[in-house]
Amino acid sequence: MLKILVAGGGFAGVWSAASAVRLARGHGVSESELSVTLVSDQSDLVLRPRLYEADPGSMRVPLARILDPIGVEIVNATVRGIDPSRRRIRTEEGGSFDYDRLVLATGSRLFRPTLPGIEFAHDVDTVDGALALDAHLHRLPEQPASPGRFTAVVVGAGFTGLEVATELVDRLRAIAAPHGLADEVRVVLLDRADVVAQGFAPDARAEIVAALDQLGVRRRLGVSLRAVSGAGVELADGTHLAAETVVWAGGVRVDHLAADITADRDAFGRLAVDEFLRTAAVPEIFAAGDTAAAPAEEGNTVTQSCQHAMPMGKFAGHNAAADLLGLPLAPFRPNPFRITLDLGSAGAVRTVGWDRALHESGPAAKEVKRAVNSVWIYPPVDDAAELLRQADFRVSARRPVTAEA
């Protein structure tokens, strides 16, 4: 029996598994001839792009409801290491799994610096982290009155930090209002850069700044964080900001498993892959999602986001199966790069191109963001035919989900 192993149960992993099954079954190769196994430390597909929102516990879909209908075996375990020479992975639980082709899709993890009190900072990188933040926010009215009780400091003014900060304004007000304390809500966005939304074109950044002003989000820019405590943060210039809520949104790093593979890496630790998402030094291993620095249009590499993870998964799974079956491999071709940034009750911003130029803002952009978050990133459940249809990299789901996220 031929074996395809997918490590990781995020967007890239799920679509890799589905695409591999689609190609095999479409060529009359049965489950007894070619098996697909997905190994994940989670029993759910976590909708990570939505964890900045309220009710984060609902932002997940059981992997079994997605993949069981197409015969993918799901193993709930944490991959500890990869042995490319033996074509085998090891798990924290003591198990091992052989493969003929491996798709590495274990994603990325939030990078936390070594700072005094960093353990006091919340995050929205995982469901557990987002749930802890949500519980903390709902406990605030019970805390003794203090200058920073309803103040939140968000560290990092990039994509995640902006979505967290703008959403927190309304989340905190909704919690504080029943107690007559909505006027005490303060959100501060902190970043070492001199501008928010670094990397966005000036026209898009102007819309983002206007939204922050509309919501009353304050900014402290060009300054670093020195320490965190339960009562606030201390900045490198000696300033202390009173805040009972601190959220770290300072960037991610590739999962440690990428280090087990001999390959060039980029500044984020992502594996260099060819146009078929195959690692050059170990051709039996494909990589997708946040672990892979795949080429994209205009001489760029993909971003660490679901808009690239989803199509990468489809191509990687297809190519892993095609490689085993002696079929032509498909070169990765992502849709044109676009971003839709949520700005809370101030709307949203949509950008086009790698310079992130403004395409649309306000309520119209917000409707697109709602569709992205509530419809387009969700895979079909309990529906083998529809899952396999969408697993074809040439087919979009309801709209081109790879173009907006």
Side-chain angles (χ1 to χ4, degrees), residues 175-201:
I175 291 168
H179 306 274
L181 301 172
D183 290 343
E184 293 187 15
V185 170
R186 303 285 185 274
V187 176
V188 181
L189 195 57
L190 173 69
D191 202 290
R192 292 181 297 178
D194 293 326
V195 296
V196 300
Q198 195 172 40
F200 283 75

Side-chain angles (χ1 to χ4, degrees), residues 356-379:
R356 301 182 184 187
L358 181 66
H359 173 66
E360 190 175 39
S361 62
K366 185 71 171 185
E367 285 304 308
V368 173
K369 186 64 175 182
R370 288 196 183 103
V372 170
N373 280 8
S374 63
V375 179
W376 298 347
I377 64 174
Y378 281 76

Side-chain angles (χ1 to χ4, degrees), residues 6-297:
V6 179
F11 290 107
V14 163
W15 286 111
S16 291
S19 184
V21 170
R22 176 197 160 274
L23 184 68
R25 305 302 175 258
H27 282 80
V29 180
S30 69
E31 188 176 336
S32 63
E33 296 171 294
L34 186 151
S35 66
V36 179
T37 301
L38 182 140
V39 182
S40 175
D41 59 357
Q42 302 281 331
S43 58
D44 299 314
L45 166 65
V46 175
L47 301 170
R48 197 175 179 193
R50 297 196 65 183
L51 294 181
Y52 68 94
E53 299 179 58
D55 192 21
S58 66
M59 310 306 181
R60 46 191 171 186
V61 181
L63 288 170
R65 293 191 61 191
I66 305 168
L67 297 175
D68 276 2
I70 60 170
V72 172
E73 180 185 7
I74 301 169
V75 176
N76 189 214
T78 301
V79 181
R80 179 182 181 183
I82 303 169
D83 186 344
S85 64
R86 295 185 178 182
R87 299 188 188 178
R88 180 178 298 167
I89 67 165
R90 306 180 309 280
T91 69
E92 293 283 358
E93 294 76 12
S96 65
F97 297 86
D98 296 330
Y99 61 83
D100 293 296
R101 294 295 181 272
L102 171 67
V103 179
L104 183 63
T106 46
S108 59
R109 301 290 184 269
L110 182 71
F111 172 74
R112 282 179 176 258
T114 303
L115 288 174
I118 192 64
E119 66 273 10
F120 288 101
H122 294 273
D123 67 71
V124 294
D125 190 55
T126 64
V127 166
D128 288 344
L131 285 170
L133 171 62
D134 193 57
H136 164 82
L137 296 177
H138 283 89
R139 287 194 300 265
L140 291 175
E142 305 166 7
Q143 303 303 314
S146 69
R149 178 166 51 159
F150 288 102
T151 297
V153 174
V154 179
V155 185
F159 191 97
T160 300
L162 288 165
E163 292 200 324
V164 170
T166 51
E167 188 75 10
L168 272 178
V169 172
D170 289 321
R171 288 178 68 180
L172 281 168
R173 285 175 180 165
I175 291 168
H179 306 274
L181 301 172
D183 290 343
E184 293 187 15
V185 170
R186 303 285 185 274
V187 176
V188 181
L189 195 57
L190 173 69
D191 202 290
R192 292 181 297 178
D194 293 326
V195 296
V196 300
Q198 195 172 40
F200 283 75
D203 55 356
R205 190 181 307 118
E207 291 288 334
I208 293 167
V209 169
L212 295 174
D213 289 341
Q214 177 184 331
L215 294 170
V217 176
R218 303 176 183 183
R219 279 88 76 191
R220 289 299 305 267
L221 303 174
V223 63
S224 299
L225 183 66
R226 177 182 290 170
V228 184
S229 73
V233 299
E234 181 182 345
L235 308 184
D237 63 6
T239 303
H240 180 268
L241 301 179
E244 292 204 15
T245 304
V246 178
V247 183
W248 179 261
V252 297
R253 294 292 184 272
V254 171
D255 182 83
H256 71 93
L257 289 171
D260 287 354
I261 300 170
T262 301
D264 292 335
R265 293 173 179 78
D266 69 0
F268 300 101
R270 300 184 298 176
L271 295 166
V273 294
D274 64 17
E275 63 176 337
F276 304 113
L277 305 184
R278 180 173 49 194
T279 61
V282 190
E284 298 84 15
I285 297 179
F286 295 77
D290 287 3
T291 60
E297 73 275 17

Side-chain angles (χ1 to χ4, degrees), residues 327-348:
L327 299 171
L329 276 60
F332 175 61
R333 296 290 185 268
N335 284 357
F337 183 56
R338 299 179 182 226
I339 286 178
T340 306
L341 174 70
D342 200 351
L343 295 170
S345 58

